[in-house]
Amino acid sequence: MSLLSTQKLSRSFGGLKAVDNVDFELESGQIHALIGPNGAGKTTFVSLLCGRLRPDSGKIRFGGQEITRLPAHERVALGIAYTFQITSIYANLSVFDNVALAAASAARRPNGNRDVRAATHDALERTGLRSRASETAGTLSYGHRRLVEIAMGLALKPKLLILDEPTQGLANSEISDFKNLAAGLKQTTTLLLIEHNMDVVMDLADSVTVLNFGQVLATGPRETIRSNPAVQSAYLGT
Amino acid sequence: MDFGPFLLLASLEGLVMAAVLALTAVGLSLVFGVMRVVNVAHGEFFMLGAISAWFVVDLVPGPAALGFAAALIISPLLVGAIAAIADMTILKRLHYEPEATIVATIGLLYIFQQLALTFYGADARPVEAPFSLRIQFPWFGYSGYKLAVIAASVVVLVGVWAFLTKTRAGLVMRATQLDRETAQAFGINVDRVFAGVFALGAALAATAAVLVVPIQQAHYLMGGDPLLLSFIVVIIGGLGSLRGTVVAALLIGLSDGIISVFFSPTLAKIIATLLVAMVLVFRPQGLFGRRPA
Amino acid sequence: MTGVLNRSAILHIGVVILLFALQFVLPPYHHTNMARIMTLAVFAMGYNVAFGYTGLLSLGHALFFASGLYAAGLLIQMGGWSALPAFSMALIAGGGLALLVGVLALRTTGVAFMIVTLMFAQAGYLTVLYLGEWTRGDEGLVLPAASRTIGSLDLTNDTTRYFCALALFSIALLGCYLLARSSTGRVLIAMRENEERSRMLGYDPLRYRLTALVISAVMSAAAGAAYGVLFGYVGATFASIQYSIFPLLWVLLGGAGTVLGPFLGVLLMTYLVDLAGDVTSAHLLVVGIALVLTVLFAPRGLLGTVRARWLPWLP
Ligand SMILES: Nc1ncnc2c1ncn2[C@@H]1O[C@H](COP(=O)(O)OP(=O)(O)OP(=O)(O)O)[C@@H](O)[C@H]1O
Ligand SMILES: [Mg+2]
């Protein structure tokens, strides 16, 4: 069943077509990877999905409902969560407070978990941040700030979690922790994953969409994309 | 008087006002454009210009024109120097953080006002015009000095324009306005540019004040109106756009006289203030600016 | 965790008790001064909700203070209302005005927000002058002593006045204390710290900012109305730009985003101006220098610095 779809979605900056007539389908319960070279329009595309940016034209549907004109905060309430590529956390607040704000937002939903403290601890535990809960977020290392970003995404308890290059700047051991975390999430959450690290993509993703110059170059199950010669020569570098 | 001559008179008065306003507002706009600083003390630079002009004219012996000419040179330099010092000792240390600089310039406003009150006093004092030529139109006579104010403002504005577009220093300022980091990377001393821009902005306000002081007396509280009007002009013209600022100054200067004929001046001010607020809310790029892509 | 709650609760209750006790020992001059400081502190605390907690730097709060002052003053003077109903109407006036101003001004942020609020307040000030027939402009109104009562309480009496100011102050302090620890309060801080992030966590920036502005304006209006009723004078100065700058200064000085900071700021500033002597001429110089020195050397203010250095549990 399709959780999210777009029709002819477009957005330009000045004369630059960052997202150009994109038709896209996202199956429920999958991990779907979005790949493409720098500047392909990946961040712009998911920004349109989560409502950070307005499209110039086209439609977005989520769970059978059209959300094209819905403001970002209402999309979050419907269950779309976004983690920023360029980390955007509350630098002056503690790690706990950062994640608690996300958990408190989820708690407001009709059958959300009212125990904000427990939900926060759970998200911290799963991202391995428990021991750093009382540290000020802005003083953390880059990799740990990425993890705070992911923990906030988890604490929102979304139906769709959009992760914009979550492994950027993580150490190898942290990347393998992330892979376990993502695989475990699959039961409850659909994941849309922007990722440059092809190992992560090939290990995790059920299906893959390749974006180039704002257009869909190819889309399909992981194996098809892996063996697609055009994609291979251009983006997989193999 | 017939309607035609009346309109001519009103337009002349409006032009004088517009000319002075344009000079003052261009100073404010320049500072905002290049430094992104909202200088609440701008009106006080205007006031300091007027008061220092009174002191200079008072001190220089000989004909009125000589003292006035001295004031026209000394006052802007003096006020510019004060502004440069304020920039280097205060604004620079705040890293031009918008909220902190606004608070600091509010502080400067009070300090300048009180110092003026202490050293100059609470009286409004006139400065004699450098010449008292009266130009006779068929319907009425008009002060030659006021016409000279219009001409002088145009000359100064053209000078500023030439400075910004034709000289190296002006180019450096505009480069800094476009992109502070890149300018720095190209070896531009941004600190010096900022001090220079802040001084230039203040000097423009002071120049306007010197020109105005034979028409309107010097007083320690005279900075309020030019500040508010400059704000209005800069907002309507589009924050940081010099061309928009000049156009808006003309518009406001010319319409001010006409509006206050129809309304009581207070009501006119209320309406104008609310309209400007609405412009900022609904067209933050100004009436003449284009929305950035 | 409960220890933390106790510590800060004890501190705030302690301040209220101290102010209560002070009333018995203060000489008359300081007695009146203190009543004024507590009333103005409510204004400062209201400003702090918008500026300190939510990050809304308004340069137009004189509008809200004056709306309370004039709503109460005019209802008493023209309508013959008694003090308490007039006070309640003043709260509604302040809140309603904030709703209107907020819906417009909150479309802007940063510098534009400052200028828009400044312009609205300026329009308010000019309106007070324009309606001179009723407000008597700069000269102002002196409220008749007979109208300054609540039931059998005579508000012109020094002791009664002190207790009324203290009661209002305590309610405002408690309100701020609870707000700062509530989930809404945390979201307000989140808006200040990172709007984009907060939106992407599902919080509607406009809704929370508007809430903060209305709370802030109602408190400011309460302070304005109380000021009019307690001290019996209603004048246009209170609508002027100076009364938009004062709360900013008080809050900056005492510590933005701290519950007790605004009170401390008013206290300090009042006695600083007092010490500077000749109130009429040196007054604004002190204000100006205090503003510049605070942003330069103590941008977090007194309590903000104390919290950062020594007492991280301060709300
Ligand atoms: N706010 C903006 N204003 C102007 N241009 C933009 C803006 N955001 C993105 N762009 C441009 O749109 C294009 C697509 O950018 P986008 O960030 O979506 O790419 P991306 O695929 O996420 O790249 P990366 O892998 O580097 O993150 C780029 O050319 C970028 O410069
Ligand atoms: Mg990207």
Side-chain angles (χ1 to χ4, degrees):
Chain A
M1 193 197 69
S2 151
L3 178 67
L4 176 135
S5 64
T6 69
Q7 279 167 23
K8 300 210 178 329
L9 200 63
S10 299
R11 166 74 199 225
S12 12
F13 295 111
L16 176 82
K17 287 183 174 169
V19 171
D20 188 6
N21 266 312
V22 171
D23 291 323
F24 178 79
E25 291 268 337
L26 182 61
E27 293 298 313
S28 195
Q30 284 205 333
I31 296 183
H32 193 120
L34 191 59
I35 63 173
N38 290 115
K42 305 179 294 294
T43 297
T44 307
F45 177 66
V46 295
S47 296
L48 296 172
L49 301 186
C50 68
R52 277 179 71 210
L53 291 175
R54 294 273 119 141
D56 297 330
S57 61
K59 279 197 174 71
I60 310 168
R61 296 180 69 80
F62 179 73
Q65 177 186 356
E66 184 171 341
I67 59 164
T68 318
R69 304 259 149 247
L70 220 55
H73 58 94
E74 288 181 31
R75 297 189 203 194
V76 179
L78 288 179
I80 302 180
Y82 172 73
T83 68
F84 288 76
Q85 174 174 11
I86 300 164
T87 41
S88 173
I89 56 181
Y90 303 103
N92 295 322
L93 304 186
S94 70
V95 171
F96 183 91
D97 285 349
N98 268 270
V99 181
L101 275 162
S105 174
R108 301 180 309 167
R109 294 213 286 268
N111 39 24
N113 179 1
R114 303 262 170 252
D115 190 346
V116 172
R117 180 169 291 274
T120 306
H121 277 303
D122 179 53
L124 289 172
E125 186 73 59
R126 289 208 275 171
T127 44
L129 285 170
R130 180 136 207 189
S131 60
R132 301 182 186 276
S134 59
E135 286 177 37
T136 305
T139 63
L140 295 179
S141 71
Y142 180 78
H144 286 127
R145 273 183 281 164
R146 302 271 339 145
L147 289 177
V148 174
E149 186 78 49
I150 294 170
M152 282 196 269
L154 293 182
L156 278 172
K157 291 272 185 300
K159 293 197 184 88
L160 167 62
L161 178 57
I162 301 171
L163 296 163
D164 199 343
E165 304 203 10
T167 62
Q168 200 179 57
L170 294 195
N172 278 335
S173 66
E174 289 168 333
I175 290 181
S176 80
D177 286 345
F178 169 78
K179 281 199 269 190
N180 290 335
L181 175 65
L185 272 177
K186 222 175 122 172
Q187 270 82 46
T188 52
T189 309
T190 307
L191 283 179
L192 178 57
L193 178 69
I194 299 180
E195 189 51 79
H196 275 298
N197 184 332
M198 278 312 134
D199 291 337
V200 175
V201 172
M202 289 309 158
D203 281 357
L204 282 177
D206 301 300
S207 43
V208 179
T209 296
V210 188
L211 220 53
N212 193 23
F213 295 117
Q215 293 177 323
V216 176
L217 187 79
T219 189
R222 170 179 51 186
E223 293 312 321
T224 343
I225 297 297
R226 200 210 290 268
S227 55
N228 182 325
V231 175
Q232 229 167 41
S233 65
Y235 307 113
L236 300 186
T238 42
Chain B
M1 215 188 301
D2 288 335
F3 184 69
F6 179 76
L7 195 67
L8 179 64
L9 183 64
S11 311
L12 281 175
E13 287 289 307
L15 269 181
V16 175
M17 162 129 183
V20 175
L21 191 51
L23 277 187
T24 317
V26 160
L28 189 69
S29 178
L30 198 65
V31 166
F32 182 81
V34 177
M35 305 166 67
R36 298 276 125 187
V37 163
V38 176
N39 178 18
V40 184
H42 195 65
E44 305 319 305
F45 289 140
F46 183 91
M47 178 272 292
L48 288 178
I51 284 180
S52 61
W54 184 87
F55 276 115
V56 171
V57 170
D58 197 44
L59 287 175
V60 173
L66 187 65
F68 187 81
L72 209 44
I73 295 167
I74 295 174
S75 291
L77 286 179
L78 183 72
V79 173
I82 294 174
I85 292 171
D87 172 76
M88 288 185 293
T89 53
I90 299 173
L91 301 187
K92 186 181 144 195
R93 301 185 50 176
L94 298 173
H95 308 291
Y96 302 98
E97 203 265 306
E99 299 187 343
T101 44
I102 283 206
V103 175
T105 55
I106 292 172
L108 284 176
L109 177 155
Y110 287 139
I111 294 172
F112 289 147
Q113 248 178 36
Q114 283 294 320
L115 291 179
L117 178 62
T118 309
F119 293 106
Y120 173 82
D123 303 333
R125 294 175 204 172
V127 166
E128 200 184 328
F131 55 88
S132 55
L133 180 70
R134 207 161 171 78
I135 295 187
Q136 196 58 43
F137 287 87
W139 318 275
F140 54 83
Y142 196 71
S143 154
Y145 178 72
K146 286 188 178 175
L147 294 179
V149 168
I150 300 176
S153 300
V154 172
V155 169
V156 174
L157 283 175
V158 170
V160 170
W161 172 79
F163 170 74
L164 286 177
T165 52
K166 303 274 191 264
T167 67
R168 214 192 98 77
L171 191 73
V172 165
M173 279 185 191
R174 285 191 301 141
T176 314
Q177 165 163 13
L178 287 178
D179 187 341
R180 203 179 294 183
E181 267 88 53
T182 313
Q184 205 142 28
F186 275 93
I188 290 176
N189 183 341
V190 171
D191 285 347
R192 213 153 73 203
V193 173
F194 276 19
V197 168
F198 205 62
L200 179 59
L204 281 170
T207 309
V210 177
L211 289 174
V212 107
V213 94
I215 307 171
Q216 185 197 336
Q217 305 184 336
H219 184 248
Y220 83 104
L221 287 176
M222 75 191 297
D225 274 353
L227 176 69
L228 199 66
L229 282 172
S230 301
F231 260 127
I232 293 178
V233 163
V234 169
I235 289 165
I236 289 185
L239 290 170
S241 144
L242 291 188
R243 195 178 311 150
T245 304
V246 174
V247 175
L250 268 175
L251 193 79
I252 300 265
L254 283 176
S255 61
D256 188 76
I258 296 166
I259 293 176
S260 49
V261 169
F262 291 107
F263 300 105
S264 87
T266 313
L267 187 58
K269 272 192 197 162
I270 295 175
I271 294 172
T273 315
L274 286 176
L275 282 180
V276 171
M278 290 308 142
V279 168
L280 253 186
V281 170
F282 294 105
R283 270 191 76 88
Q285 73 277 31
L287 286 182
F288 310 111
R290 231 171 280 127
R291 195 176 279 275
Chain C
M1 246 18 208
T2 46
V4 170
L5 179 112
N6 287 343
R7 253 188 313 201
S8 66
I10 287 169
L11 174 69
H12 292 84
I13 294 170
V15 168
V16 171
I17 293 176
L18 186 72
L19 284 169
F20 179 84
L22 263 182
Q23 113 90 10
F24 300 105
V25 294
L26 282 179
Y29 172 73
H30 295 283
H31 192 270
T32 311
N33 241 0
M34 210 59 206
R36 182 172 281 123
I37 287 171
M38 287 188 289
T39 312
L40 291 177
V42 174
F43 184 20
M45 282 190 264
Y47 187 80
N48 192 31
V49 171
F51 170 60
Y53 286 102
T54 320
L56 295 170
L57 203 168
S58 147
L59 291 180
H61 261 56
L63 182 65
F64 304 127
F65 185 79
S67 71
L69 183 76
Y70 275 98
L74 290 177
L75 283 172
I76 290 173
Q77 190 84 354
M78 307 279 136
W81 289 39
S82 65
L84 210 53
F87 179 81
S88 322
M89 264 322 276
L91 302 191
I92 296 175
L97 199 58
L99 214 52
L100 193 72
V101 168
V103 165
L104 292 167
L106 288 171
R107 292 171 60 111
T108 64
T109 53
V111 170
F113 180 78
M114 299 178 211
I115 301 177
V116 170
T117 48
L118 181 83
M119 293 283 167
F120 275 121
Q122 184 68 14
Y125 171 62
L126 291 169
T127 305
V128 169
L129 295 183
Y130 182 66
L131 302 177
E133 201 180 315
W134 295 295
T135 63
R136 320 228 20 192
D138 281 323
E139 192 187 318
L141 307 166
V142 175
L143 301 183
S147 67
R148 290 163 57 199
T149 54
I150 299 175
S152 61
L153 290 177
D154 174 13
L155 299 179
T156 58
N157 172 286
D158 278 352
T159 310
T160 320
R161 176 163 64 193
Y162 190 95
F163 280 125
C164 282
L166 179 61
L168 185 67
F169 173 79
S170 308
I171 293 170
L173 193 71
L174 179 72
C176 284
Y177 181 78
L178 293 178
L179 179 70
R181 314 179 121 254
S182 71
S183 57
T184 304
R186 285 172 208 280
V187 179
L188 296 186
I189 292 174
M191 285 299 159
R192 175 190 77 195
E193 291 292 317
N194 189 340
E195 174 190 347
E196 169 90 338
R197 191 7 122 191
S198 307
R199 196 203 336 266
M200 296 317 295
L201 289 184
Y203 299 109
D204 180 1
L206 180 65
R207 203 186 108 195
Y208 281 94
R209 291 205 166 126
L210 198 57
T211 307
L213 193 69
V214 170
I215 295 176
S216 165
V218 168
M219 291 177 70
S220 306
Y227 198 93
V229 172
L230 294 181
F231 298 96
Y233 173 71
V234 173
T237 338
F238 295 112
S240 71
I241 169 99
Q242 271 180 34
Y243 275 78
S244 293
I245 304 298
F246 284 148
L248 171 64
L249 173 63
W250 294 325
V251 168
L252 274 175
L253 204 62
T258 63
V259 173
L260 276 173
F263 169 65
L264 219 59
V266 182
L267 187 71
L268 202 76
M269 201 61 225
T270 307
Y271 279 99
L272 215 62
V273 170
D274 232 33
L275 281 181
D278 188 2
V279 175
T280 42
S281 78
H283 181 107
L284 290 181
L285 190 64
V286 177
V287 172
I289 292 174
L291 276 173
V292 172
L293 292 183
T294 310
V295 286
L296 272 181
F297 300 110
R300 294 186 221 237
L302 276 177
L303 271 195
T305 309
V306 168
R307 171 161 69 190
R309 292 257 175 90
W310 299 292
L311 307 177
W313 48 267
L314 268 183

